Amino acid sequence: MNDRLLLLGLLRREEMHGYQLHEFIDRELAFCTDLKKPTAYYLLNKMTSEGWISEETAREGNRPPRKVYSITPAGEAAFQQLLRQNVASFIPSRFPGDVGIAYLDALPPTEALGLLRQRRAQLQLAQEKVSTAPAHRGSLEWIVEHQRRHLAAEADWLDEIIEQLEQGLK
Amino acid sequence: MNDRLLLLGLLRREEMHGYQLHEFIDRELAFCTDLKKPTAYYLLNKMTSEGWISEETAREGNRPPRKVYSITPAGEAAFQQLLRQNVASFIPSRFPGDVGIAYLDALPPTEALGLLRQRRAQLQLAQEKVSTAPAHRGSLEWIVEHQRRHLAAEADWLDEIIEQLEQGLK
DNA sequence: TTCTGATTAGTCAGTTTTGACTATTCAGGA
DNA sequence: TCCTGAATAGTCAAAACTGACTAATCAGAA
């Protein structure tokens, strides 16, 4: 339902067509969701048939006609409800990367260390990307801050594992 | 692929049937994945047809026969490969709860505060659950620690948002 | 003007996931 | 003994998701 909320929220600001929506999400909100293009269209169709948004075919210049979506009153109501639900609930995160940590003892310690250092390097890149990101305005800044803190915690934790492994080797 | 890795890793320790696998994951590793039952069976079938595991029908007592899965040499090879891949890569997390934060300004500040406090309370519960969890042995302890740190970062962040909102109200 | 690669806009078939259900066995009380 | 609720062991149809593709337009180079 969170992807629906995301789409509704964007359509609430201004009507858009599918490609535009996906483009925006992919460019500006990549750190927040990774809604794939076909999924976006799927949800737009779904919400249209649910009456949350309405589609209107628009031709601009001599480009082929596009479907422009705009939010309906029912959609606005759904938005209000979904928003409250989202804000009021804590959704626990799963970390698929933990599976590998759980089985770390199946690996020779030296190799494990090398692999973990690779993971650490990628994490570093992610941190740099966030810290050099252009300042977002308003509440988006909180989300960037969220990401920043999460990555920092991640780095601390990984460093500790790496250090413990190093201790074990000596 | 991480769910496959998880299943292979368990089957590596001892052969099991589907229900047993799902039970174990659901009880012991709930903070790590949330592999649903039908998904587990789906993956077991898939991996059987890929030759990673083999199934053997076993009857015990007068219970109906069950399929017992055990890992094959090809499965062990796949495990080794998937494990290295998993350990060596940092998988960025997405936080669906951020969508609500992004649209927080669509809500009256007082109501937003109330909803955020609800979220905070649920987070608190999750933290208590982790801290009272029985000590896991070996590398599982790292995963619990991961969760602990992640939740702490989450709490700090939420508290700051709440405080900023409170400031804005005064 | 014609070609090439990038951008725009979207679709489709196949894969994966899941909510809801079935069916058997077991433990204990009436 | 019979009944009931919990635990065991799964299945199935429907929903959701995605990799790979199509197809039109446009901008600029040759």
Side-chain angles (χ1 to χ4, degrees):
Chain A
M1 282 298 150
N2 298 300
D3 292 336
R4 282 172 163 83
L5 178 60
L6 178 61
L7 291 171
L8 284 176
L10 292 178
L11 289 176
R12 218 169 150 258
R13 302 188 189 270
E14 57 174 330
E15 56 175 40
M16 290 199 232
H17 55 89
Y19 190 81
Q20 212 174 348
L21 279 163
H22 174 257
E23 255 335 72
F24 184 81
I25 292 171
D26 215 45
R27 285 202 199 307
E28 309 292 320
L29 307 171
F31 50 84
C32 182
T33 1
D34 71 334
L35 192 61
K36 302 286 190 299
K37 200 147 38 113
T39 307
Y41 282 105
Y42 170 76
L43 290 174
L44 288 171
N45 278 330
K46 202 90 211 301
M47 291 198 292
T48 300
S49 75
E50 277 162 341
W52 290 6
I53 59 184
S54 64
E55 59 182 37
E56 203 176 344
T57 306
R59 190 174 296 105
E60 191 180 315
N62 61 347
R63 304 195 118 272
R66 299 173 303 192
K67 283 177 196 163
V68 176
Y69 297 93
S70 52
I71 192 166
T72 65
E76 174 66 23
F79 173 82
Q80 294 291 334
Q81 211 235 303
L82 290 178
L83 177 57
R84 282 166 175 76
Q85 207 174 91
N86 179 300
V87 175
S89 40
F90 168 65
I91 304 162
S93 304
R94 311 302 161 125
F95 303 100
D98 283 2
V99 178
I101 304 298
Y103 295 139
L104 215 52
D105 46 7
L107 250 32
T110 322
E111 190 179 1
L113 252 177
L115 297 171
L116 285 174
R117 292 212 181 94
Q118 289 181 44
R119 188 193 276 209
R120 185 63 177 82
Q122 290 173 44
L123 174 49
Q124 188 81 36
L125 286 183
Q127 282 184 296
E128 280 155 19
K129 212 181 217 164
V130 169
S131 66
T132 63
H136 287 75
R137 50 248 135 5
S139 44
L140 279 199
E141 188 50 50
W142 281 332
I143 296 180
V144 176
E145 178 64 15
H146 188 198
Q147 199 66 26
R148 223 189 315 270
R149 288 177 187 226
H150 162 68
L151 291 177
E154 203 73 9
D156 282 358
W157 173 71
L158 245 190
D159 284 340
E160 199 174 298
I161 295 182
I162 289 175
E163 199 181 344
Q164 278 189 38
L165 274 191
E166 279 166 347
Q167 293 305 313
L169 275 187
K170 277 195 307 201
Chain B
M1 283 299 150
N2 298 302
D3 292 336
R4 281 171 162 85
L5 178 60
L6 178 62
L7 291 171
L8 284 176
L10 292 178
L11 289 177
R12 221 170 147 255
R13 303 189 189 272
E14 58 174 330
E15 55 173 42
M16 292 199 229
H17 56 90
Y19 190 81
Q20 211 174 348
L21 279 163
H22 175 257
E23 255 335 72
F24 184 81
I25 292 171
D26 215 45
R27 285 204 200 304
E28 308 292 320
L29 306 171
F31 50 84
C32 181
T33 0
D34 71 334
L35 193 62
K36 303 283 190 298
K37 204 147 37 113
T39 307
Y41 281 106
Y42 170 76
L43 290 174
L44 289 171
N45 278 332
K46 203 89 211 300
M47 291 198 291
T48 300
S49 75
E50 278 162 340
W52 291 6
I53 59 184
S54 65
E55 59 182 38
E56 204 176 342
T57 306
R59 189 174 296 106
E60 191 180 316
N62 61 346
R63 305 194 118 270
R66 300 172 302 191
K67 282 178 196 163
V68 175
Y69 297 93
S70 51
I71 193 166
T72 65
E76 173 66 23
F79 173 80
Q80 294 291 334
Q81 210 235 302
L82 290 177
L83 177 56
R84 282 166 175 77
Q85 207 174 92
N86 179 299
V87 175
S89 40
F90 168 65
I91 305 161
S93 304
R94 311 301 162 127
F95 302 101
D98 282 3
V99 178
I101 305 298
Y103 295 140
L104 215 52
D105 46 8
L107 250 31
T110 322
E111 189 180 0
L113 251 177
L115 296 171
L116 284 174
R117 292 213 181 91
Q118 289 180 45
R119 189 194 276 209
R120 185 64 177 80
Q122 291 174 43
L123 175 49
Q124 187 81 35
L125 286 184
Q127 283 184 296
E128 279 155 20
K129 213 184 219 163
V130 169
S131 67
T132 62
H136 288 74
R137 48 259 141 347
S139 43
L140 279 200
E141 188 49 50
W142 282 331
I143 296 179
V144 176
E145 178 64 16
H146 188 198
Q147 199 65 27
R148 222 188 316 270
R149 288 175 187 228
H150 163 67
L151 291 176
E154 203 72 9
D156 282 358
W157 173 70
L158 245 190
D159 285 340
E160 200 174 298
I161 294 181
I162 290 175
E163 200 181 344
Q164 279 188 37
L165 275 190
E166 279 166 346
Q167 292 306 312
L169 275 187
K170 277 194 308 203

